[in-house]
Amino acid sequence: MKKKIITLFLLILISVLAGFLVQRYSGVLYQSPVLAVKKVQKQEDQIKISGQLVNHQKEAVTLKTDAHSVAALTISFKVGQQLLLNSNKEEIIAEKQDGVVVAIIFVFLSLVLLLGGKSGVLALWGLALNLGVLFFLLRLDTLFSGLPTLGLMFLYGASSIIITFLANYGIKAFRIDLILTTGGIVLGGFLICLTALKLFENNGIRFEEMQFLTRPYLGVFYGSLLVGGIGAAVDMVVTLVSSLKELVYQQPTISQKELLRSGRRIAQDVTSSMMNVLLFAYLSGAIPMLIFYLKNGWPFVSTLQLHLSLELLRAFCGAFTILLSIPASLLCVILERRRKA
């Protein structure tokens, strides 16, 4: 235990040091001008910032920004920080924070690898593969506008389920029945939401936040519903199946009735927490816009309808997949037990 604590402390120290070095010296790798702030002066409604570029021939730059601008409201200007500028070197785009991101990622990876061991490595490998497949398919979607977005998301769903189960169980314990069951669960939850939307002709659904899209928004939204259900279904199936298999391993003589009762208890313990996590994960992204609209005098009900209808639908789709996962997982465990009997 003491060895793990010392190792964790060293890994966190290395992560912080790596983040500091990246924050300090990575500016030369940027194509956008990066300004190292050396002086900040507040003049009535303006902020005067002086400094030197760390790239672009390291020239001295002085610029002014309105104290009520977006940059001034979101960035606390101080000596020593680095700012990303536009190509004309006249406007602040954002604060350079890649060092903080690197430090956080390194700490996260250290915790996963140290506490999770082999399982942590496999989980990270599965996460990397899933992200790679998703980015590849999204890239295809942007390059070839004729490709159906929903079709690409179905392809991602199938590959994501396979990758996730490989990461959790490995090749030796790879089970086709769980793959097919999870795929059916995701498809079932998606079809329930899709059927309801079609029957009610999308009444009450506000798509304004997707109006910037240059392609049909319904296909993109349906794709997001599908992807949202995948994670919920996979997590629920893995949790229930692993728990029930462990129970059967510890109590080989447990009856089918007792197994079903235990499965229901496990599902009751897990379902509510997973639904809450799913709901708040979707709703948290809408909080900034909710506050912005309410602060500017928009009616409360209209604001909620405008910004929460799509997020609630995604959460409901995930909730349906969670509920469908319970009987499906129990059935898989019972059938596997009968095959081995």
Side-chain angles (χ1 to χ4, degrees):
M1 185 66 181
K2 186 177 180 181
K3 185 179 179 180
K4 277 194 173 183
I5 294 175
I6 295 174
T7 305
L8 180 61
F9 176 77
L10 290 175
L11 288 173
I12 292 176
L13 187 62
I14 293 171
S15 301
V16 173
L17 179 60
F20 172 77
L21 293 174
V22 170
Q23 183 69 25
R24 185 72 180 271
Y25 298 108
S26 67
V28 295
L29 304 176
Y30 279 69
Q31 294 183 351
S32 301
V34 180
L35 177 68
V37 179
K38 293 186 176 181
K39 189 176 182 181
V40 179
Q41 293 177 304
K42 291 186 178 181
Q43 303 172 343
E44 297 180 355
D45 290 336
Q46 284 192 329
I47 301 175
K48 183 179 179 181
I49 302 167
S50 303
Q52 186 177 19
L53 297 180
V54 299
N55 54 1
H56 287 252
Q57 300 178 350
K58 298 185 177 181
E59 60 183 285
V61 173
T62 299
L63 50 86
K64 293 182 179 180
T65 183
D66 193 294
H68 303 291
S69 65
V70 174
L73 292 174
T74 55
I75 301 174
S76 178
F77 298 112
K78 55 185 180 292
V79 176
Q81 72 182 154
Q82 296 183 7
L83 304 173
L84 296 174
L85 309 181
N86 65 351
S87 57
N88 296 327
K89 305 166 190 174
E90 297 175 351
E91 184 179 346
I92 299 168
I93 299 175
E95 182 179 4
K96 178 176 171 290
Q97 294 182 318
D98 51 357
V100 178
V101 174
V102 168
I104 292 174
I105 291 175
F106 274 35
V107 169
F108 169 74
L109 293 177
S110 301
L111 289 172
V112 171
L113 295 176
L114 186 63
L115 301 177
K118 183 180 178 181
S119 298
V121 173
L122 291 174
L124 290 175
W125 180 241
L127 176 63
L129 284 177
N130 277 326
L131 287 175
V133 172
L134 179 60
F135 291 155
F136 173 72
L137 292 175
L138 290 176
R139 184 60 177 167
L140 286 180
D141 191 42
T142 57
L143 291 176
F144 305 100
S145 57
L147 292 175
T149 303
L150 184 57
L152 291 175
M153 291 303 100
F154 270 109
L155 183 60
Y156 168 72
S159 59
S160 175
I161 292 171
I162 294 172
I163 291 170
T164 304
F165 275 100
L166 279 173
N168 279 278
Y169 294 105
I171 297 177
K172 292 183 178 179
F174 188 69
R175 291 180 54 185
I176 299 297
D177 59 337
L178 287 182
I179 300 291
L180 296 176
T181 299
T182 307
I185 292 167
V186 174
L187 184 61
F190 172 74
L191 290 177
I192 289 173
C193 291
L194 182 63
T195 303
L197 288 172
K198 293 293 185 182
L199 287 176
F200 291 101
E201 298 179 348
N202 294 329
N203 287 331
I205 308 301
R206 304 290 294 270
F207 293 97
E208 282 86 343
E209 66 180 60
M210 304 182 73
Q211 62 187 353
F212 61 89
L213 294 177
T214 57
R215 60 186 63 207
Y217 58 85
L218 279 178
V220 177
F221 175 64
Y222 292 153
S224 69
L225 280 181
L226 185 69
V227 173
I230 292 170
V234 171
D235 288 343
M236 193 66 179
V237 170
V238 169
T239 301
L240 282 176
V241 171
S242 300
S243 300
L244 291 173
K245 285 179 68 177
E246 182 66 22
L247 181 63
V248 172
Y249 176 78
Q250 293 176 355
Q251 303 179 35
T253 59
I254 187 173
S255 66
Q256 182 172 310
K257 187 176 181 180
E258 291 173 341
L259 183 63
L260 289 173
R261 189 181 298 113
S262 299
R264 285 197 296 268
R265 283 200 299 268
I266 296 171
Q268 288 171 359
D269 294 337
V270 175
T271 301
S272 59
S273 59
M274 286 191 66
M275 284 186 178
N276 284 329
V277 169
L278 192 67
L279 180 64
F280 288 115
Y282 282 121
L283 297 187
S284 61
I287 289 176
M289 293 307 297
L290 287 175
I291 295 174
F292 175 79
Y293 273 73
L294 292 174
K295 286 287 186 181
N296 284 274
W298 275 64
F300 182 75
V301 176
S302 299
T303 303
L304 294 183
Q305 289 176 339
L306 183 62
H307 295 287
L308 293 186
S309 61
L310 299 184
E311 306 302 336
L312 286 173
L313 263 178
R314 295 186 182 103
F316 282 137
C317 185
F320 279 125
T321 60
I322 290 174
L323 293 174
L324 291 174
S325 300
I326 298 171
S329 301
L330 289 170
L331 181 62
C332 285
V333 173
I334 291 172
L335 291 178
E336 182 189 16
R337 191 184 184 196
R338 287 181 177 178
R339 283 199 303 268
K340 292 182 178 180

